[in-house]
Short mmCIF file of all heavy atoms in Angstrom, two decimals:
data_model
loop_
_atom_site.label_atom_id
_atom_site.label_comp_id
_atom_site.label_asym_id
_atom_site.label_seq_id
_atom_site.Cartn_x
_atom_site.Cartn_y
_atom_site.Cartn_z
N ARG A 199 -10.68 -12.54 3.35
CA ARG A 199 -9.46 -11.82 3.79
C ARG A 199 -8.62 -11.40 2.60
O ARG A 199 -8.07 -10.29 2.58
CB ARG A 199 -8.67 -12.69 4.76
CG ARG A 199 -9.38 -12.99 6.07
CD ARG A 199 -8.42 -13.44 7.14
NE ARG A 199 -7.72 -14.66 6.79
CZ ARG A 199 -8.08 -15.88 7.19
NH1 ARG A 199 -9.16 -16.04 7.96
NH2 ARG A 199 -7.38 -16.95 6.83
N GLY A 200 -8.53 -12.26 1.61
CA GLY A 200 -7.74 -11.92 0.42
C GLY A 200 -8.35 -10.76 -0.36
O GLY A 200 -7.62 -9.87 -0.83
N ARG A 201 -9.67 -10.75 -0.47
CA ARG A 201 -10.35 -9.67 -1.19
C ARG A 201 -10.19 -8.35 -0.45
O ARG A 201 -9.92 -7.31 -1.07
CB ARG A 201 -11.83 -10.03 -1.34
CG ARG A 201 -12.63 -9.01 -2.16
CD ARG A 201 -14.01 -9.52 -2.52
NE ARG A 201 -14.85 -9.73 -1.33
CZ ARG A 201 -15.21 -10.92 -0.89
NH1 ARG A 201 -14.79 -12.04 -1.49
NH2 ARG A 201 -16.00 -11.02 0.17
N VAL A 202 -10.33 -8.39 0.86
CA VAL A 202 -10.16 -7.18 1.67
C VAL A 202 -8.72 -6.69 1.58
O VAL A 202 -8.47 -5.48 1.42
CB VAL A 202 -10.54 -7.44 3.15
CG1 VAL A 202 -10.11 -6.27 4.03
CG2 VAL A 202 -12.06 -7.66 3.25
N LYS A 203 -7.78 -7.60 1.64
CA LYS A 203 -6.37 -7.20 1.59
C LYS A 203 -6.03 -6.54 0.26
O LYS A 203 -5.26 -5.56 0.20
CB LYS A 203 -5.47 -8.44 1.81
CG LYS A 203 -4.01 -8.11 2.07
CD LYS A 203 -3.26 -9.32 2.55
CE LYS A 203 -1.86 -8.94 3.02
NZ LYS A 203 -1.14 -10.10 3.60
N ALA A 204 -6.64 -7.02 -0.81
CA ALA A 204 -6.42 -6.41 -2.12
C ALA A 204 -6.99 -4.99 -2.16
O ALA A 204 -6.35 -4.07 -2.72
CB ALA A 204 -7.05 -7.27 -3.21
N GLY A 205 -8.15 -4.82 -1.55
CA GLY A 205 -8.75 -3.47 -1.49
C GLY A 205 -7.91 -2.53 -0.68
O GLY A 205 -7.74 -1.34 -1.02
N ILE A 206 -7.37 -3.02 0.43
CA ILE A 206 -6.51 -2.21 1.30
C ILE A 206 -5.24 -1.81 0.57
O ILE A 206 -4.80 -0.65 0.64
CB ILE A 206 -6.19 -2.98 2.59
CG1 ILE A 206 -7.45 -3.06 3.46
CG2 ILE A 206 -5.07 -2.29 3.37
CD1 ILE A 206 -7.30 -3.99 4.64
N LYS A 207 -4.65 -2.73 -0.16
CA LYS A 207 -3.41 -2.43 -0.89
C LYS A 207 -3.66 -1.32 -1.92
O LYS A 207 -2.81 -0.46 -2.12
CB LYS A 207 -2.89 -3.68 -1.58
CG LYS A 207 -1.51 -3.52 -2.19
CD LYS A 207 -0.95 -4.85 -2.69
CE LYS A 207 0.43 -4.66 -3.29
NZ LYS A 207 1.00 -5.96 -3.77
N LYS A 208 -4.82 -1.36 -2.54
CA LYS A 208 -5.17 -0.32 -3.53
C LYS A 208 -5.33 1.03 -2.83
O LYS A 208 -4.84 2.06 -3.34
CB LYS A 208 -6.46 -0.70 -4.25
CG LYS A 208 -6.85 0.27 -5.35
CD LYS A 208 -8.11 -0.20 -6.07
CE LYS A 208 -8.53 0.80 -7.14
NZ LYS A 208 -9.77 0.37 -7.83
N MET A 209 -6.00 1.04 -1.68
CA MET A 209 -6.19 2.29 -0.96
C MET A 209 -4.86 2.85 -0.45
O MET A 209 -4.58 4.05 -0.61
CB MET A 209 -7.12 2.11 0.24
CG MET A 209 -7.29 3.39 1.09
SD MET A 209 -8.12 3.13 2.66
CE MET A 209 -9.81 3.12 2.14
N THR A 210 -4.04 2.01 0.16
CA THR A 210 -2.80 2.51 0.77
C THR A 210 -1.85 3.04 -0.30
O THR A 210 -0.99 3.89 0.00
CB THR A 210 -2.12 1.42 1.60
OG1 THR A 210 -1.93 0.22 0.80
CG2 THR A 210 -2.95 1.06 2.83
N ALA A 211 -1.94 2.52 -1.51
CA ALA A 211 -1.09 3.04 -2.59
C ALA A 211 -1.40 4.49 -2.89
O ALA A 211 -0.53 5.24 -3.37
CB ALA A 211 -1.29 2.19 -3.85
N GLU A 212 -2.60 4.94 -2.55
CA GLU A 212 -3.01 6.33 -2.75
C GLU A 212 -2.53 7.23 -1.61
O GLU A 212 -2.56 8.45 -1.74
CB GLU A 212 -4.53 6.42 -2.88
CG GLU A 212 -5.11 5.65 -4.07
CD GLU A 212 -6.61 5.66 -4.06
OE1 GLU A 212 -7.21 6.47 -3.30
OE2 GLU A 212 -7.21 4.90 -4.82
N PHE A 213 -2.12 6.60 -0.50
CA PHE A 213 -1.66 7.35 0.68
C PHE A 213 -0.34 6.78 1.16
O PHE A 213 -0.23 6.23 2.26
CB PHE A 213 -2.72 7.24 1.80
CG PHE A 213 -4.06 7.82 1.45
CD1 PHE A 213 -5.07 7.03 0.92
CD2 PHE A 213 -4.33 9.18 1.67
CE1 PHE A 213 -6.31 7.56 0.60
CE2 PHE A 213 -5.56 9.72 1.35
CZ PHE A 213 -6.55 8.90 0.81
N PRO A 214 0.73 6.91 0.37
CA PRO A 214 2.02 6.33 0.77
C PRO A 214 2.61 7.01 1.99
O PRO A 214 2.35 8.19 2.24
CB PRO A 214 2.89 6.54 -0.48
CG PRO A 214 2.28 7.74 -1.15
CD PRO A 214 0.82 7.65 -0.92
N ILE A 215 3.40 6.26 2.73
CA ILE A 215 4.07 6.81 3.92
C ILE A 215 5.47 7.28 3.54
O ILE A 215 5.84 8.44 3.68
CB ILE A 215 4.17 5.76 5.04
CG1 ILE A 215 2.88 4.97 5.19
CG2 ILE A 215 4.54 6.45 6.37
CD1 ILE A 215 3.04 3.70 5.98
N TYR A 216 6.30 6.34 3.10
CA TYR A 216 7.68 6.64 2.71
C TYR A 216 7.88 6.11 1.29
O TYR A 216 8.55 5.08 1.09
CB TYR A 216 8.66 5.94 3.65
CG TYR A 216 8.37 6.17 5.12
CD1 TYR A 216 7.99 5.11 5.95
CD2 TYR A 216 8.51 7.44 5.69
CE1 TYR A 216 7.76 5.29 7.29
CE2 TYR A 216 8.28 7.63 7.05
CZ TYR A 216 7.89 6.56 7.83
OH TYR A 216 7.65 6.74 9.18
N PRO A 217 7.34 6.76 0.28
CA PRO A 217 7.31 6.18 -1.07
C PRO A 217 8.69 5.93 -1.69
O PRO A 217 8.83 5.06 -2.53
CB PRO A 217 6.51 7.21 -1.87
CG PRO A 217 6.63 8.49 -1.09
CD PRO A 217 6.67 8.06 0.34
N ASN A 218 9.71 6.70 -1.29
CA ASN A 218 11.03 6.54 -1.91
C ASN A 218 12.07 5.95 -0.97
O ASN A 218 13.25 6.04 -1.25
CB ASN A 218 11.50 7.92 -2.43
CG ASN A 218 10.57 8.49 -3.46
OD1 ASN A 218 10.15 7.79 -4.39
ND2 ASN A 218 10.19 9.75 -3.29
N LEU A 219 11.61 5.38 0.11
CA LEU A 219 12.56 4.88 1.11
C LEU A 219 13.32 3.66 0.58
O LEU A 219 14.50 3.49 0.87
CB LEU A 219 11.81 4.51 2.41
CG LEU A 219 12.70 4.16 3.60
CD1 LEU A 219 13.57 5.35 3.98
CD2 LEU A 219 11.85 3.76 4.79
N ILE A 220 12.65 2.83 -0.18
CA ILE A 220 13.28 1.63 -0.73
C ILE A 220 12.99 1.55 -2.21
O ILE A 220 11.84 1.71 -2.64
CB ILE A 220 12.75 0.37 -0.03
CG1 ILE A 220 13.19 0.33 1.43
CG2 ILE A 220 13.25 -0.90 -0.75
CD1 ILE A 220 12.67 -0.86 2.20
N LYS A 221 14.02 1.35 -2.99
CA LYS A 221 13.86 1.10 -4.42
C LYS A 221 14.42 -0.29 -4.72
O LYS A 221 15.62 -0.53 -4.61
CB LYS A 221 14.58 2.17 -5.25
CG LYS A 221 13.99 3.57 -5.07
CD LYS A 221 14.68 4.55 -6.00
CE LYS A 221 14.14 5.97 -5.79
NZ LYS A 221 12.71 6.08 -6.10
N GLU A 222 13.52 -1.21 -5.02
CA GLU A 222 13.97 -2.60 -5.21
C GLU A 222 14.28 -2.89 -6.68
O GLU A 222 13.76 -2.25 -7.57
CB GLU A 222 12.88 -3.54 -4.72
CG GLU A 222 12.63 -3.38 -3.23
CD GLU A 222 11.52 -4.27 -2.73
OE1 GLU A 222 10.34 -4.00 -3.05
OE2 GLU A 222 11.82 -5.25 -2.01
#
């Protein structure tokens, strides 16, 4: 699950939804 989650995080970074909605 951890390995898959890391792969998903990498993919979703290429397809952002609201990239500037929050600046932490």
Side-chain angles (χ1 to χ4, degrees):
R199 295 199 299 263
R201 184 168 64 250
V202 169
K203 193 168 188 175
I206 289 171
K207 188 173 181 180
K208 184 178 179 181
M209 176 192 280
T210 54
E212 299 175 12
F213 298 93
I215 317 164
Y216 310 115
N218 300 312
L219 189 61
I220 293 178
K221 296 184 182 298
E222 297 178 288

